[in-house]
Amino acid sequence: MKIIQKHLRVLLCMMLTAALVLSMGGVVSAEETEDTTTIGAADTESNEIVYELVAKNDRLALYADKTDGYFYVENRETGKKWYSTPADIEEDPYTVGLESTNLRSHLVVEYISREREIWADYAQSTNSYTDCVEHGGVTVTVIDNGIRVDYLFPILEIQISVNYVLKDTYLEASLLTDAIKDEGEYAVIAVQLLPVFGAGSWRDTGYLFVPDGSGALIHFNNQRKLAQNYRAPVYGVDKQVVAETKSTSTEAIRLPVFGTVVGDEALMAVIDQAAASAEITAMTGHATCGYNAVSSIFGYRLLTSQYNMYNRRRVNQMVDLDHGTDAYAVRYYPLSGEDADYIGMAGAYRDYLIAEHGFQKRDTTPSFHVDLIGAYETEASFLGIIPYTKKVPLTTYEQAQTILAGLQSAGITKLSAQYTGWNNNGITNVKIPKAATPLSVLGGKKDFAALTAATASSGVTLSTSVDLTSFIKGGNGVSATKHAIRTPFGKTVKQPQYILSNHVTKLGADETMYLSTAKLTDVAARYLESLKKQGLTTVDLTNIAENCYSNYFEDDTAHRTVGIQNVVAALKAYQDAGIKVTVQNANAYALPYVNVVTDVPTVSSGYDIFDEDVPFYQALLHGYVPYTTRSITQTPNPGVTYLTAVESGSQLQYNAIHANSGDLFDTEYNYLYGSTWTLWKDTAAKQYAEYQPLLEKVHDQEIVNHAQVAQNVFVTEYQNGVKVAVNYNAQDVVVEGNTVPAQSFCEWEVIA
Amino acid sequence: MPKKLVAFAVAVLLLLAIPLNIGASPVSNVPYNTYDYNFYDESIAAPAGYVPAERITAATIGVEGELAQPQDIYYDGKDNVYLLDAGNARVLVLDTNLKLKETIELMAPAKIDMSLFPGLTEEEVIEAVGVGEPTKVTTATGVTVGVDGRMYIADPTGECVHVYNADHSYAYVITRPKTARLGEEMPFNASKVSVDNRNNLYVVAKSGNMGAFVFDGEGNYQRLFGGNSVVQTAEVIMKYMLRPFLTQAQLEGMQSSVPITIANFDVDAEGFMYTTTIVSDETVVPEGVVRKLNYLSQDILEEKLIFGDREWDRQSKQLSIITSFNDVDIDSEGFINLLDKGRGRVFQYAETGELIAVFGGYSEQFGGFGTDPQAIESIGDSVIVVDTTKNCLIRFDPTDYAKQYRSALIRLKRDDFDGSLETWQALLAQNSNNANAYYGIGRVYDMQGDYKTAMEYFKLAGDRGAYSEAFQEYRNLTIKALFIPIISVVAGLLVIYLVYKVIKKKRGKAAVSTVGGSAYSKLESKYSFPLYTLFHPMDGFGQLKPRKIGSLRVAGIILVALFAVFTLQFFATGYIFNENRLSEYSLLIMLMKTVGVALLFVVSNWAVCTLFNGNGNLKEITCVTTYALLPLIFAMVFNVIMSNFLAGSEGAIMNIVLTVCIVWSFLLLLCGLYCIHEYNMTQTFFSVIATVIGMAIIVFLLIMFTSLLQQTWSFIYSIVLELIQR
């Protein structure tokens, strides 16, 4: 008998080992699944999750486990429960390794040992299940409408506290920055908050939404095992990070919002506090991962590095940050029914912006945007003997009139114009501009006055462009040593240019510095006075809302969460002065203070983990703030860009110079290769004639639906029932009885 | 059936076989840089030529599971695409829309380890133990299909090529050929295969460095192909002499001695084989990396074509360029697609070397590859890249820009200029940096006889050869048109001159006698003295010392003239002969090149000759050195003027003039130094050599001094910085 038992035991051991090995290798069969489940079951018996009602209101209810802090939010209308960690985790046949404990965690903590600060190449990672729940480190306190959970990681001597509070329409998770205790050997670098809240399982159908570029979807269980998980910083990479090489072009996150859609239910998350310190991350289901989840990571400290020339190594530095707030707060909004998709999320996020940040409806009258380009500076020398800086005109004020009049007579009647390089140093902002004064090389004050008079009488909105954030040299009251942002190592940040072919930095080319936001306030105010003096009521502040950066220069030190406040104040000052502000590709915080957003991408970065791009940013703005595409001739595939503009309800934008762009061949501005206005005039006029009538109908309407109805065929639906089908295929297709011509679009109205 | 009908039917069938247009992609942005090279070999922005259109996975193809390390793809040009799904030991036969038609499992008979049966032949062993169970071929890296439908699978690990019949049954295996050319220790790790239209099989082995192995339709080894045809003359003679004493095997082993490692190949529609070669230890991609070989293994691609990236990667660890082509594909219209393993890019070229598009790259994005893209194939104008790491294929489609560019180039190649002006102009509207569009337009005007406009466009294209030819035509026309006026003007001037002379003669007879010509009349002015020395160096420079006629002011004027002439040459030389980039002009460098060098010579000569008992003083040396430069200055002025009137082929005249004048200047210098230092000729000669060495020493000392100064400065600067920042 004993022998048999012994044999059985050996056999069992072998089976278990085999199961482990096999499941780690990603090969899973039904039998082995059972085994893994039993192992898991043995663990959970001791700490079974007991959910108790903690708070409730008309729409939502919060249930929590008072030992380990696990919770779920119930949507009382539909009964949908959103679990902080998956409820069916024991049945998960796929997930292996570290991920499986992350699935049981509220926090994933990245930390380094203070002793190894200088040489730590990357932060180590642990989660609240392994190092906290397993050690009984969780303390749950019931507070008003919610719970406070203190997560103590006894081995690492780290404590992190999070409040989970139920509000009218959402659950707010606030990671209390002041309550983070890590005085021991280990220091917290970043905390991933609720990594799997609302996760979709291998059984579910749905998708994750991430706000990369215009927005992107990751379908549940898309099996992209070889693709890296998505992870990108909100508001783009901080400008104080200088890359050694640049090989790919990516889009940035402009909106601090993400979400999960499971069937008819959705959970949208908005980062309410310290969004500029956050990253958004997403993982998808595949052979060794059973769940699909999107969440945010709070960058508590900065771990940065610098190349040390002497010993040819990178040296790290850990920097404590002032996030300008006492909590990193994320709101989770359960949505259901018609709102449970990315367009619904865009609407919900817009409601949030309106309620919390004063986002408002602007004049949305559609127009064709033309970005006029004035002059550029170049080094010249008189017979090679006396060097001097020369301004070369590309579009003078008089020629600008010619272009605008020419476009209007070609049928493009409703026009808006930005005017880049019309003052200061021309296209490249060598120095931060002092005043809004016309350039003599472009025709001087007299011609400029004629231009403004002409635009006023022909109904063209003219916004003169100005760059108040980036510069090449000190001057005009701005000092490169005092006012340019610096890295934590005390080095002035100089963003280089990169060679297109081999991606390394271009030697001898201009390097861009960024103006500290404290100084930006002064500079913006000074320029505003000058604008007023000139009698200008519109301005294009270009990259002010796109460039988001921190400064680590002594007393000026300001993490970008704080820097943003200066930018917002500057924008607000312009609004209050009655100036209509145009900006490029704006980050969320700027949206309430702008009248037009230009250069909005119609695509995402196209990461391998993504399944499709969606016009989320556009759906947010449509009917509220007008927005344009990037300059169409400068995009890699202009014909397709036009179609994406139609699909996303964007207004069209073209670059215009009066000179022959071929003359720029041997200058650093040769990227303007398709900008000569006469060359694109006819195409643009055709597009305008085709597209403007549609925009006239829908410009003040919200986008209420957007879907792919067939391969490469998309339908966008507006509040008033207008539907637009865009067909990217080379053949005509029929959508709801309407023929959509190849590589074109078709609109119709649905009578409700 | 009448012949015409057959031809028609074939044409219809071919038309049907052209892949259906799979549809434009909704990609309006790409993750990679889109660029072109300007004529200074710098990358500049350009519109995208190709954009990623579709990610092809097992799901889109229509098979279960996932692809596993797909290694190679072959399109038969008609209706079948063969995808080698190596990890799954199968070949997926797809239609041109890349949907599954059928699956071919790759099974091979078990390999018999002959070493276990010493003394027996293979047949005997099979008879004794049987063939054994067939095994899966999971390590294959190359696939191709012959015109007879036979499929060839290269298996480097198995060191063989598996051959399957058209009905997918196993035909035979090709193993290591018995030839002296393949060294004993060298494995036959066949990695890629290709079949030409005569049904010859070409096999590339990873470690082979003498070209591809050629087998006939029955798998018999024929020869080596595509080894480097460059053989040193001495070697050829040696071989010829040794020939009678060598065995056949030895002879075979001697054929080609320059090793060349073929990375991959493709056969075009006409049966020419394109190969790519692995290069290492080069700072730029050399010529001949991509070759188009005829049956005799001769490269018939235009000479001096450079493929791949041209900018040196400063930050790369190696000093070599990173471009390394691991596959080549010739599409149905003859364009060359090259897959660069170095940066994971595809380069598309016309056969004549024009770069059409660069796309792809290593990234985690749609349109970027994993670490190891293995193969490239084209269906129509779409390009398909096999991404072994990401287990998928990426289809790239041309943008409107690339489509127009390709068709314009095809027509240019055929000298078909009808309406091509509009095509080129449409291209320019999209990319005003496209040099080939300027060239194309230039060609159109050239054909129409509008040489002046053609010249303008050739200039924009940076094509000096074409410009020169058009210029020649233009000049001929101008001369023809102006012939009669010019002749009349010249004749008129001649008549006036003659009349003037006659009158002068009559009036001036008395005057000549009163002045009394002196041979030294020109010596009397220090300004005209340098001109006298031009033709009377010994006499002239001989007078320099005793009569003290040298003038530093004149020397100064000549130096300024020297500088002015060099500057003039930089800016005013005719376009055909002027390769200077105006923005690169530097005053300092120009001054150093002219005045600096001259003064350096003077100082050095003075120093040297003071040591060696030369009698010349500094002023005399300065005068001699500068006066001797006059012929050079005249030659350069002459050349600058002539360069505006000569065509490229006539440039030799200018070289001759310049050479003559340089020699002249040098002789003047020698004579002058000879006179003022009162040396003999040998001494003079050696003093010049010593002077040059002296110049080098002075430069060296100057550099030392400046670098020392710089270091001191940076030391002080860092201390100051430290003080400020602390």
Side-chain angles (χ1 to χ4, degrees), chain B residues 472-494:
Chain B
Q472 219 167 346
E473 294 292 337
Y474 175 67
R475 193 184 57 190
N476 289 349
L477 283 182
T478 318
I479 290 174
K480 243 183 231 169
L482 293 177
F483 188 71
I484 293 173
I486 286 175
I487 289 293
S488 353
V489 168
V490 168
L493 285 174
L494 206 69

Side-chain angles (χ1 to χ4, degrees), chain A residues 192-224:
Chain A
Q192 185 177 2
L193 181 61
L194 298 176
V196 284
F197 187 25
S201 78
W202 68 98
R203 285 187 283 233
D204 294 323
T205 50
Y207 56 81
L208 307 172
F209 161 74
V210 289
D212 192 82
S214 68
L217 303 186
I218 301 166
H219 292 169
F220 280 3
N221 310 310
N222 65 13
Q223 305 303 327
R224 301 268 162 74

Side-chain angles (χ1 to χ4, degrees), chain B residues 1-16:
Chain B
M1 210 158 35
K3 257 192 181 165
K4 267 191 179 171
L5 244 175
V6 174
F8 178 74
V10 168
V12 167
L13 276 175
L14 280 176
L15 271 179
L16 286 176

